[in-house]
Amino acid sequence: MEKEQGMLNRSNYRNDQRASGNTLPGEVPILGLTHVKADQSIAQEKVERLTLLFVLSGNLYFSTAGIENQPVDEGHMFLVLAGDNFYMRAITEVTLLRCAPPLETLYKRMADIVSDSPSRERKRIPVLPLQALLLRELHTIQEMMRAGILSPYVQRLKTELVLSVLRELYAKGELAAFFTQAFTGDHEFKAQVLKVYSNADSVKELAYKMNISISTLKRKFQSAFGMSVKQWLIQKRKERLLHDITQTKMSIAELAEKYKLTGNYLSTFCREHFGKSPTELRS
């Protein structure tokens, strides 16, 4: 099984600012293409920016933020939130078009649609079918990127166009359900949590690092993330475990010790949540 890290943070234009395949130093791409072979897996820790993923071809399983092995089929779109970790396994060969719009662009186009939507816990990744006109525009973007003619300026214009097309083609309720988690809660509070959580193993430790009381943390966290602090920390621990399995050379014994699990339970845990044993995830 091949592995690739940093899929959502990779740029797709050359050093002369034309479409290509590698990141310019310090730059977060707006648009990009990813091709994944059948049974290939990709994992990434802490996605830097909310990213829309359009499945142009193929079928896949996707796991993120406590949602495990949800199938997403060709001709559909879904999103990954900033700060989330993810794991993706291609069922068949997959082509993804990635769009990570600047937040100000996304808010300008969508904030009024979801501003009144209540925060809620994610039980499934929101998925929408790609309508014909949108799919046609996405294929145009794909061809422009392959031809190397999509400059950063044109990428921004194309992103604005894609979001405008979404506004026109989909019902308000569909878009509200799709984007709700991107707009709910206190964004500054969320950003602070995402900055410090990796060094906190408990609710008490997270409250200490954020310099607030446990009761205040629990109240604000439920409002911002739509779940309890404890649930969220457990999910992030699972995501870090998956990252360590797929992206490091730590032995199974070292992983079990780090995550305070027995070797047998580590294998059982991975099969239950990720569909494969630790060794199979690495093969």
PDB file of all heavy atoms in Angstrom, residues 217-248:
ATOM      1  N   LEU A 217     -14.843  25.717  29.655  1.00  0.00           N
ATOM      2  CA  LEU A 217     -14.392  24.948  28.500  1.00  0.00           C
ATOM      3  C   LEU A 217     -15.503  24.039  27.987  1.00  0.00           C
ATOM      4  O   LEU A 217     -15.779  23.993  26.785  1.00  0.00           O
ATOM      5  CB  LEU A 217     -13.164  24.116  28.872  1.00  0.00           C
ATOM      6  CG  LEU A 217     -12.691  23.119  27.807  1.00  0.00           C
ATOM      7  CD1 LEU A 217     -12.204  23.840  26.556  1.00  0.00           C
ATOM      8  CD2 LEU A 217     -11.589  22.214  28.366  1.00  0.00           C
ATOM      9  N   LYS A 218     -16.138  23.310  28.888  1.00  0.00           N
ATOM     10  CA  LYS A 218     -17.194  22.374  28.472  1.00  0.00           C
ATOM     11  C   LYS A 218     -18.352  23.108  27.800  1.00  0.00           C
ATOM     12  O   LYS A 218     -18.877  22.653  26.778  1.00  0.00           O
ATOM     13  CB  LYS A 218     -17.697  21.591  29.685  1.00  0.00           C
ATOM     14  CG  LYS A 218     -16.711  20.559  30.216  1.00  0.00           C
ATOM     15  CD  LYS A 218     -17.299  19.808  31.406  1.00  0.00           C
ATOM     16  CE  LYS A 218     -16.370  18.704  31.870  1.00  0.00           C
ATOM     17  NZ  LYS A 218     -16.923  17.969  33.041  1.00  0.00           N
ATOM     18  N   ARG A 219     -18.740  24.235  28.368  1.00  0.00           N
ATOM     19  CA  ARG A 219     -19.874  24.986  27.814  1.00  0.00           C
ATOM     20  C   ARG A 219     -19.540  25.532  26.425  1.00  0.00           C
ATOM     21  O   ARG A 219     -20.305  25.342  25.465  1.00  0.00           O
ATOM     22  CB  ARG A 219     -20.248  26.132  28.762  1.00  0.00           C
ATOM     23  CG  ARG A 219     -21.313  27.074  28.206  1.00  0.00           C
ATOM     24  CD  ARG A 219     -21.684  28.143  29.226  1.00  0.00           C
ATOM     25  NE  ARG A 219     -20.518  28.847  29.729  1.00  0.00           N
ATOM     26  CZ  ARG A 219     -19.902  29.834  29.082  1.00  0.00           C
ATOM     27  NH1 ARG A 219     -20.339  30.208  27.889  1.00  0.00           N
ATOM     28  NH2 ARG A 219     -18.865  30.439  29.607  1.00  0.00           N
ATOM     29  N   LYS A 220     -18.379  26.189  26.296  1.00  0.00           N
ATOM     30  CA  LYS A 220     -18.013  26.785  25.012  1.00  0.00           C
ATOM     31  C   LYS A 220     -17.705  25.708  23.980  1.00  0.00           C
ATOM     32  O   LYS A 220     -17.995  25.878  22.787  1.00  0.00           O
ATOM     33  CB  LYS A 220     -16.812  27.711  25.191  1.00  0.00           C
ATOM     34  CG  LYS A 220     -17.074  28.905  26.074  1.00  0.00           C
ATOM     35  CD  LYS A 220     -15.900  29.876  26.107  1.00  0.00           C
ATOM     36  CE  LYS A 220     -15.741  30.594  24.789  1.00  0.00           C
ATOM     37  NZ  LYS A 220     -14.729  31.673  24.856  1.00  0.00           N
ATOM     38  N   PHE A 221     -17.128  24.615  24.428  1.00  0.00           N
ATOM     39  CA  PHE A 221     -16.752  23.549  23.503  1.00  0.00           C
ATOM     40  C   PHE A 221     -17.991  22.904  22.883  1.00  0.00           C
ATOM     41  O   PHE A 221     -18.040  22.661  21.672  1.00  0.00           O
ATOM     42  CB  PHE A 221     -15.924  22.490  24.233  1.00  0.00           C
ATOM     43  CG  PHE A 221     -15.122  21.620  23.322  1.00  0.00           C
ATOM     44  CD1 PHE A 221     -13.785  21.895  23.081  1.00  0.00           C
ATOM     45  CD2 PHE A 221     -15.691  20.533  22.677  1.00  0.00           C
ATOM     46  CE1 PHE A 221     -13.037  21.111  22.217  1.00  0.00           C
ATOM     47  CE2 PHE A 221     -14.963  19.738  21.821  1.00  0.00           C
ATOM     48  CZ  PHE A 221     -13.625  20.031  21.593  1.00  0.00           C
ATOM     49  N   GLN A 222     -18.995  22.616  23.703  1.00  0.00           N
ATOM     50  CA  GLN A 222     -20.223  22.007  23.191  1.00  0.00           C
ATOM     51  C   GLN A 222     -20.872  22.899  22.139  1.00  0.00           C
ATOM     52  O   GLN A 222     -21.364  22.427  21.106  1.00  0.00           O
ATOM     53  CB  GLN A 222     -21.203  21.753  24.340  1.00  0.00           C
ATOM     54  CG  GLN A 222     -22.478  21.028  23.931  1.00  0.00           C
ATOM     55  CD  GLN A 222     -22.247  19.586  23.529  1.00  0.00           C
ATOM     56  OE1 GLN A 222     -21.505  18.865  24.202  1.00  0.00           O
ATOM     57  NE2 GLN A 222     -22.864  19.157  22.434  1.00  0.00           N
ATOM     58  N   SER A 223     -20.856  24.208  22.395  1.00  0.00           N
ATOM     59  CA  SER A 223     -21.452  25.151  21.452  1.00  0.00           C
ATOM     60  C   SER A 223     -20.648  25.232  20.159  1.00  0.00           C
ATOM     61  O   SER A 223     -21.223  25.268  19.069  1.00  0.00           O
ATOM     62  CB  SER A 223     -21.533  26.544  22.103  1.00  0.00           C
ATOM     63  OG  SER A 223     -21.986  27.504  21.168  1.00  0.00           O
ATOM     64  N   ALA A 224     -19.314  25.234  20.280  1.00  0.00           N
ATOM     65  CA  ALA A 224     -18.463  25.424  19.103  1.00  0.00           C
ATOM     66  C   ALA A 224     -18.320  24.170  18.264  1.00  0.00           C
ATOM     67  O   ALA A 224     -18.305  24.228  17.032  1.00  0.00           O
ATOM     68  CB  ALA A 224     -17.085  25.920  19.538  1.00  0.00           C
ATOM     69  N   PHE A 225     -18.198  23.002  18.914  1.00  0.00           N
ATOM     70  CA  PHE A 225     -17.886  21.770  18.197  1.00  0.00           C
ATOM     71  C   PHE A 225     -19.064  20.801  18.100  1.00  0.00           C
ATOM     72  O   PHE A 225     -18.992  19.816  17.372  1.00  0.00           O
ATOM     73  CB  PHE A 225     -16.705  21.061  18.858  1.00  0.00           C
ATOM     74  CG  PHE A 225     -15.389  21.750  18.644  1.00  0.00           C
ATOM     75  CD1 PHE A 225     -14.964  22.749  19.515  1.00  0.00           C
ATOM     76  CD2 PHE A 225     -14.568  21.409  17.579  1.00  0.00           C
ATOM     77  CE1 PHE A 225     -13.742  23.391  19.325  1.00  0.00           C
ATOM     78  CE2 PHE A 225     -13.346  22.037  17.380  1.00  0.00           C
ATOM     79  CZ  PHE A 225     -12.935  23.039  18.251  1.00  0.00           C
ATOM     80  N   GLY A 226     -20.128  21.053  18.846  1.00  0.00           N
ATOM     81  CA  GLY A 226     -21.297  20.194  18.764  1.00  0.00           C
ATOM     82  C   GLY A 226     -21.125  18.848  19.429  1.00  0.00           C
ATOM     83  O   GLY A 226     -21.887  17.912  19.145  1.00  0.00           O
ATOM     84  N   MET A 227     -20.165  18.717  20.330  1.00  0.00           N
ATOM     85  CA  MET A 227     -19.951  17.473  21.077  1.00  0.00           C
ATOM     86  C   MET A 227     -19.190  17.812  22.346  1.00  0.00           C
ATOM     87  O   MET A 227     -18.698  18.925  22.512  1.00  0.00           O
ATOM     88  CB  MET A 227     -19.180  16.451  20.238  1.00  0.00           C
ATOM     89  CG  MET A 227     -17.747  16.833  19.921  1.00  0.00           C
ATOM     90  SD  MET A 227     -16.888  15.541  18.987  1.00  0.00           S
ATOM     91  CE  MET A 227     -17.726  15.652  17.416  1.00  0.00           C
ATOM     92  N   SER A 228     -19.064  16.838  23.235  1.00  0.00           N
ATOM     93  CA  SER A 228     -18.354  17.081  24.489  1.00  0.00           C
ATOM     94  C   SER A 228     -16.845  17.110  24.252  1.00  0.00           C
ATOM     95  O   SER A 228     -16.345  16.561  23.264  1.00  0.00           O
ATOM     96  CB  SER A 228     -18.693  16.001  25.508  1.00  0.00           C
ATOM     97  OG  SER A 228     -18.087  14.765  25.137  1.00  0.00           O
ATOM     98  N   VAL A 229     -16.138  17.751  25.174  1.00  0.00           N
ATOM     99  CA  VAL A 229     -14.673  17.791  25.085  1.00  0.00           C
ATOM    100  C   VAL A 229     -14.111  16.376  25.112  1.00  0.00           C
ATOM    101  O   VAL A 229     -13.211  16.035  24.334  1.00  0.00           O
ATOM    102  CB  VAL A 229     -14.067  18.601  26.255  1.00  0.00           C
ATOM    103  CG1 VAL A 229     -12.576  18.826  26.024  1.00  0.00           C
ATOM    104  CG2 VAL A 229     -14.775  19.927  26.439  1.00  0.00           C
ATOM    105  N   LYS A 230     -14.643  15.536  26.008  1.00  0.00           N
ATOM    106  CA  LYS A 230     -14.135  14.172  26.149  1.00  0.00           C
ATOM    107  C   LYS A 230     -14.295  13.386  24.852  1.00  0.00           C
ATOM    108  O   LYS A 230     -13.353  12.717  24.401  1.00  0.00           O
ATOM    109  CB  LYS A 230     -14.868  13.459  27.292  1.00  0.00           C
ATOM    110  CG  LYS A 230     -14.337  12.058  27.562  1.00  0.00           C
ATOM    111  CD  LYS A 230     -15.055  11.429  28.743  1.00  0.00           C
ATOM    112  CE  LYS A 230     -14.523  10.022  29.008  1.00  0.00           C
ATOM    113  NZ  LYS A 230     -15.219   9.401  30.176  1.00  0.00           N
ATOM    114  N   GLN A 231     -15.468  13.462  24.234  1.00  0.00           N
ATOM    115  CA  GLN A 231     -15.690  12.760  22.965  1.00  0.00           C
ATOM    116  C   GLN A 231     -14.696  13.223  21.905  1.00  0.00           C
ATOM    117  O   GLN A 231     -14.126  12.414  21.171  1.00  0.00           O
ATOM    118  CB  GLN A 231     -17.119  13.017  22.461  1.00  0.00           C
ATOM    119  CG  GLN A 231     -18.214  12.298  23.215  1.00  0.00           C
ATOM    120  CD  GLN A 231     -19.576  12.716  22.693  1.00  0.00           C
ATOM    121  OE1 GLN A 231     -19.881  13.903  22.560  1.00  0.00           O
ATOM    122  NE2 GLN A 231     -20.403  11.735  22.386  1.00  0.00           N
ATOM    123  N   TRP A 232     -14.508  14.522  21.835  1.00  0.00           N
ATOM    124  CA  TRP A 232     -13.639  15.099  20.795  1.00  0.00           C
ATOM    125  C   TRP A 232     -12.192  14.683  21.007  1.00  0.00           C
ATOM    126  O   TRP A 232     -11.494  14.332  20.060  1.00  0.00           O
ATOM    127  CB  TRP A 232     -13.784  16.614  20.807  1.00  0.00           C
ATOM    128  CG  TRP A 232     -13.166  17.323  19.646  1.00  0.00           C
ATOM    129  CD1 TRP A 232     -13.725  17.536  18.422  1.00  0.00           C
ATOM    130  CD2 TRP A 232     -11.876  17.950  19.609  1.00  0.00           C
ATOM    131  NE1 TRP A 232     -12.867  18.244  17.627  1.00  0.00           N
ATOM    132  CE2 TRP A 232     -11.728  18.519  18.327  1.00  0.00           C
ATOM    133  CE3 TRP A 232     -10.845  18.085  20.533  1.00  0.00           C
ATOM    134  CZ2 TRP A 232     -10.579  19.208  17.942  1.00  0.00           C
ATOM    135  CZ3 TRP A 232      -9.701  18.764  20.157  1.00  0.00           C
ATOM    136  CH2 TRP A 232      -9.576  19.315  18.881  1.00  0.00           C
ATOM    137  N   LEU A 233     -11.723  14.720  22.254  1.00  0.00           N
ATOM    138  CA  LEU A 233     -10.351  14.328  22.545  1.00  0.00           C
ATOM    139  C   LEU A 233     -10.116  12.851  22.223  1.00  0.00           C
ATOM    140  O   LEU A 233      -9.045  12.475  21.727  1.00  0.00           O
ATOM    141  CB  LEU A 233     -10.008  14.615  24.007  1.00  0.00           C
ATOM    142  CG  LEU A 233      -9.825  16.091  24.381  1.00  0.00           C
ATOM    143  CD1 LEU A 233      -9.622  16.235  25.889  1.00  0.00           C
ATOM    144  CD2 LEU A 233      -8.639  16.709  23.626  1.00  0.00           C
ATOM    145  N   ILE A 234     -11.115  12.005  22.480  1.00  0.00           N
ATOM    146  CA  ILE A 234     -10.994  10.586  22.140  1.00  0.00           C
ATOM    147  C   ILE A 234     -10.877  10.423  20.625  1.00  0.00           C
ATOM    148  O   ILE A 234     -10.056   9.649  20.120  1.00  0.00           O
ATOM    149  CB  ILE A 234     -12.196   9.796  22.689  1.00  0.00           C
ATOM    150  CG1 ILE A 234     -12.129   9.716  24.216  1.00  0.00           C
ATOM    151  CG2 ILE A 234     -12.236   8.387  22.089  1.00  0.00           C
ATOM    152  CD1 ILE A 234     -13.363   9.120  24.860  1.00  0.00           C
ATOM    153  N   GLN A 235     -11.692  11.147  19.878  1.00  0.00           N
ATOM    154  CA  GLN A 235     -11.627  11.081  18.422  1.00  0.00           C
ATOM    155  C   GLN A 235     -10.255  11.516  17.911  1.00  0.00           C
ATOM    156  O   GLN A 235      -9.673  10.882  17.019  1.00  0.00           O
ATOM    157  CB  GLN A 235     -12.715  11.959  17.808  1.00  0.00           C
ATOM    158  CG  GLN A 235     -14.114  11.412  17.985  1.00  0.00           C
ATOM    159  CD  GLN A 235     -15.159  12.325  17.374  1.00  0.00           C
ATOM    160  OE1 GLN A 235     -14.837  13.339  16.768  1.00  0.00           O
ATOM    161  NE2 GLN A 235     -16.428  11.962  17.525  1.00  0.00           N
ATOM    162  N   LYS A 236      -9.743  12.605  18.465  1.00  0.00           N
ATOM    163  CA  LYS A 236      -8.435  13.091  18.021  1.00  0.00           C
ATOM    164  C   LYS A 236      -7.334  12.105  18.382  1.00  0.00           C
ATOM    165  O   LYS A 236      -6.358  11.951  17.635  1.00  0.00           O
ATOM    166  CB  LYS A 236      -8.146  14.462  18.647  1.00  0.00           C
ATOM    167  CG  LYS A 236      -9.051  15.562  18.125  1.00  0.00           C
ATOM    168  CD  LYS A 236      -8.962  15.691  16.628  1.00  0.00           C
ATOM    169  CE  LYS A 236      -9.928  16.704  16.072  1.00  0.00           C
ATOM    170  NZ  LYS A 236      -9.917  16.740  14.592  1.00  0.00           N
ATOM    171  N   ARG A 237      -7.490  11.429  19.505  1.00  0.00           N
ATOM    172  CA  ARG A 237      -6.501  10.411  19.885  1.00  0.00           C
ATOM    173  C   ARG A 237      -6.494   9.277  18.858  1.00  0.00           C
ATOM    174  O   ARG A 237      -5.439   8.766  18.474  1.00  0.00           O
ATOM    175  CB  ARG A 237      -6.826   9.871  21.278  1.00  0.00           C
ATOM    176  CG  ARG A 237      -5.790   8.918  21.864  1.00  0.00           C
ATOM    177  CD  ARG A 237      -6.058   8.727  23.342  1.00  0.00           C
ATOM    178  NE  ARG A 237      -5.105   7.826  23.958  1.00  0.00           N
ATOM    179  CZ  ARG A 237      -5.349   6.552  24.221  1.00  0.00           C
ATOM    180  NH1 ARG A 237      -6.533   6.029  23.921  1.00  0.00           N
ATOM    181  NH2 ARG A 237      -4.436   5.796  24.802  1.00  0.00           N
ATOM    182  N   LYS A 238      -7.680   8.871  18.410  1.00  0.00           N
ATOM    183  CA  LYS A 238      -7.765   7.837  17.379  1.00  0.00           C
ATOM    184  C   LYS A 238      -7.109   8.311  16.081  1.00  0.00           C
ATOM    185  O   LYS A 238      -6.419   7.546  15.400  1.00  0.00           O
ATOM    186  CB  LYS A 238      -9.224   7.465  17.128  1.00  0.00           C
ATOM    187  CG  LYS A 238      -9.889   6.741  18.287  1.00  0.00           C
ATOM    188  CD  LYS A 238     -11.206   6.115  17.893  1.00  0.00           C
ATOM    189  CE  LYS A 238     -12.199   7.065  17.356  1.00  0.00           C
ATOM    190  NZ  LYS A 238     -13.530   6.460  17.135  1.00  0.00           N
ATOM    191  N   GLU A 239      -7.333   9.567  15.738  1.00  0.00           N
ATOM    192  CA  GLU A 239      -6.746  10.100  14.515  1.00  0.00           C
ATOM    193  C   GLU A 239      -5.221  10.136  14.605  1.00  0.00           C
ATOM    194  O   GLU A 239      -4.519   9.825  13.629  1.00  0.00           O
ATOM    195  CB  GLU A 239      -7.302  11.499  14.237  1.00  0.00           C
ATOM    196  CG  GLU A 239      -8.778  11.497  13.886  1.00  0.00           C
ATOM    197  CD  GLU A 239      -9.399  12.880  13.902  1.00  0.00           C
ATOM    198  OE1 GLU A 239      -8.641  13.868  14.011  1.00  0.00           O
ATOM    199  OE2 GLU A 239     -10.636  12.986  13.798  1.00  0.00           O
ATOM    200  N   ARG A 240      -4.695  10.495  15.787  1.00  0.00           N
ATOM    201  CA  ARG A 240      -3.233  10.524  15.950  1.00  0.00           C
ATOM    202  C   ARG A 240      -2.654   9.120  15.877  1.00  0.00           C
ATOM    203  O   ARG A 240      -1.567   8.906  15.325  1.00  0.00           O
ATOM    204  CB  ARG A 240      -2.872  11.193  17.288  1.00  0.00           C
ATOM    205  CG  ARG A 240      -3.174  12.681  17.332  1.00  0.00           C
ATOM    206  CD  ARG A 240      -2.416  13.382  18.453  1.00  0.00           C
ATOM    207  NE  ARG A 240      -2.753  12.878  19.764  1.00  0.00           N
ATOM    208  CZ  ARG A 240      -3.750  13.328  20.507  1.00  0.00           C
ATOM    209  NH1 ARG A 240      -4.538  14.289  20.050  1.00  0.00           N
ATOM    210  NH2 ARG A 240      -3.992  12.830  21.696  1.00  0.00           N
ATOM    211  N   LEU A 241      -3.397   8.156  16.442  1.00  0.00           N
ATOM    212  CA  LEU A 241      -2.953   6.769  16.360  1.00  0.00           C
ATOM    213  C   LEU A 241      -2.860   6.323  14.907  1.00  0.00           C
ATOM    214  O   LEU A 241      -1.868   5.709  14.498  1.00  0.00           O
ATOM    215  CB  LEU A 241      -3.924   5.862  17.128  1.00  0.00           C
ATOM    216  CG  LEU A 241      -3.738   4.348  16.942  1.00  0.00           C
ATOM    217  CD1 LEU A 241      -2.351   3.912  17.402  1.00  0.00           C
ATOM    218  CD2 LEU A 241      -4.821   3.578  17.686  1.00  0.00           C
ATOM    219  N   LEU A 242      -3.887   6.634  14.124  1.00  0.00           N
ATOM    220  CA  LEU A 242      -3.868   6.253  12.712  1.00  0.00           C
ATOM    221  C   LEU A 242      -2.699   6.913  11.989  1.00  0.00           C
ATOM    222  O   LEU A 242      -2.028   6.299  11.160  1.00  0.00           O
ATOM    223  CB  LEU A 242      -5.191   6.640  12.052  1.00  0.00           C
ATOM    224  CG  LEU A 242      -5.336   6.266  10.580  1.00  0.00           C
ATOM    225  CD1 LEU A 242      -5.205   4.759  10.383  1.00  0.00           C
ATOM    226  CD2 LEU A 242      -6.661   6.758  10.024  1.00  0.00           C
ATOM    227  N   HIS A 243      -2.452   8.165  12.312  1.00  0.00           N
ATOM    228  CA  HIS A 243      -1.313   8.856  11.701  1.00  0.00           C
ATOM    229  C   HIS A 243      -0.005   8.163  12.058  1.00  0.00           C
ATOM    230  O   HIS A 243       0.854   7.936  11.202  1.00  0.00           O
ATOM    231  CB  HIS A 243      -1.270  10.314  12.172  1.00  0.00           C
ATOM    232  CG  HIS A 243      -0.056  11.056  11.711  1.00  0.00           C
ATOM    233  ND1 HIS A 243       1.104  11.119  12.458  1.00  0.00           N
ATOM    234  CD2 HIS A 243       0.202  11.729  10.569  1.00  0.00           C
ATOM    235  CE1 HIS A 243       2.012  11.821  11.804  1.00  0.00           C
ATOM    236  NE2 HIS A 243       1.490  12.193  10.653  1.00  0.00           N
ATOM    237  N   ASP A 244       0.170   7.807  13.324  1.00  0.00           N
ATOM    238  CA  ASP A 244       1.414   7.168  13.748  1.00  0.00           C
ATOM    239  C   ASP A 244       1.599   5.803  13.095  1.00  0.00           C
ATOM    240  O   ASP A 244       2.722   5.401  12.770  1.00  0.00           O
ATOM    241  CB  ASP A 244       1.443   7.035  15.271  1.00  0.00           C
ATOM    242  CG  ASP A 244       1.744   8.350  15.967  1.00  0.00           C
ATOM    243  OD1 ASP A 244       2.148   9.310  15.283  1.00  0.00           O
ATOM    244  OD2 ASP A 244       1.547   8.430  17.196  1.00  0.00           O
ATOM    245  N   ILE A 245       0.494   5.090  12.898  1.00  0.00           N
ATOM    246  CA  ILE A 245       0.591   3.777  12.256  1.00  0.00           C
ATOM    247  C   ILE A 245       1.013   3.914  10.805  1.00  0.00           C
ATOM    248  O   ILE A 245       1.892   3.194  10.329  1.00  0.00           O
ATOM    249  CB  ILE A 245      -0.763   3.029  12.356  1.00  0.00           C
ATOM    250  CG1 ILE A 245      -1.039   2.620  13.801  1.00  0.00           C
ATOM    251  CG2 ILE A 245      -0.750   1.783  11.459  1.00  0.00           C
ATOM    252  CD1 ILE A 245      -2.437   2.063  14.012  1.00  0.00           C
ATOM    253  N   THR A 246       0.380   4.840  10.094  1.00  0.00           N
ATOM    254  CA  THR A 246       0.587   4.924   8.651  1.00  0.00           C
ATOM    255  C   THR A 246       1.745   5.819   8.233  1.00  0.00           C
ATOM    256  O   THR A 246       2.283   5.659   7.139  1.00  0.00           O
ATOM    257  CB  THR A 246      -0.688   5.434   7.957  1.00  0.00           C
ATOM    258  OG1 THR A 246      -1.036   6.732   8.467  1.00  0.00           O
ATOM    259  CG2 THR A 246      -1.851   4.473   8.177  1.00  0.00           C
ATOM    260  N   GLN A 247       2.172   6.735   9.122  1.00  0.00           N
ATOM    261  CA  GLN A 247       3.151   7.725   8.687  1.00  0.00           C
ATOM    262  C   GLN A 247       4.455   7.704   9.490  1.00  0.00           C
ATOM    263  O   GLN A 247       5.325   8.540   9.245  1.00  0.00           O
ATOM    264  CB  GLN A 247       2.543   9.131   8.771  1.00  0.00           C
ATOM    265  CG  GLN A 247       1.257   9.295   7.963  1.00  0.00           C
ATOM    266  CD  GLN A 247       1.450   9.066   6.481  1.00  0.00           C
ATOM    267  OE1 GLN A 247       2.457   9.487   5.910  1.00  0.00           O
ATOM    268  NE2 GLN A 247       0.518   8.390   5.844  1.00  0.00           N
ATOM    269  N   THR A 248       4.600   6.789  10.459  1.00  0.00           N
ATOM    270  CA  THR A 248       5.858   6.677  11.203  1.00  0.00           C
ATOM    271  C   THR A 248       6.349   5.236  11.155  1.00  0.00           C
ATOM    272  O   THR A 248       5.643   4.343  10.690  1.00  0.00           O
ATOM    273  CB  THR A 248       5.680   7.094  12.678  1.00  0.00           C
ATOM    274  OG1 THR A 248       4.985   6.055  13.397  1.00  0.00           O
ATOM    275  CG2 THR A 248       4.897   8.398  12.799  1.00  0.00           C
TER     276      THR A 248
END
